[in-house]
Amino acid sequence: MSSLSTHVLDTARGEPAAGVTVTLRTLSGATEEQVTDADGRARFGTEVEGATTLHFETAAISDFFPEVVLTFVADAGRAHHHVPLLLSPFAYSTYRGS
């Protein structure tokens, strides 16, 4: 099992996106909700393994993308997963961070 964190960046403003609600859902049915801090970061207490979904409520940043849903596979061999979201009004990207 692995720990999980995320970082939301508002690339249009060049700033962290504070106050974004992020909901974690695991294949086993576990759910946890966090809100990004002043630095745009959220850390989850739920351990993850296998198919994992992060649901970002992004309407305050983008009228075009009121939500972003990312599903990825958490590798049990990694102690920690970090999944950042870079968001602008009309585009977003993500990557496996460290």
Side-chain angles (χ1 to χ4, degrees):
M1 299 283 243
S2 303
S3 63
L4 175 66
S5 62
T6 189
H7 191 191
V8 183
L9 298 167
D10 181 338
T11 58
R13 293 190 338 222
E15 299 176 354
V20 174
T21 300
V22 186
T23 304
L24 162 68
R25 289 190 178 87
T26 67
L27 189 60
S28 66
T31 302
E32 182 181 347
E33 185 176 284
Q34 295 291 331
V35 177
T36 58
D37 63 16
D39 195 34
R41 296 179 183 274
R43 291 170 181 80
F44 295 90
T46 302
E47 294 286 314
V48 296
E49 182 177 359
T52 303
T53 300
L54 290 174
H55 178 265
F56 299 83
E57 296 178 20
T58 55
I61 301 169
S62 171
D63 292 337
F64 190 69
F65 294 114
E67 65 180 8
V68 174
V69 179
L70 302 177
T71 302
F72 62 97
V73 176
D75 178 3
R78 293 177 60 94
H80 181 74
H81 287 79
H82 183 68
V83 182
L85 175 66
L86 290 77
L87 181 68
S88 69
F90 300 107
Y92 68 86
S93 66
T94 187
Y95 58 95
R96 185 181 80 182
S98 56

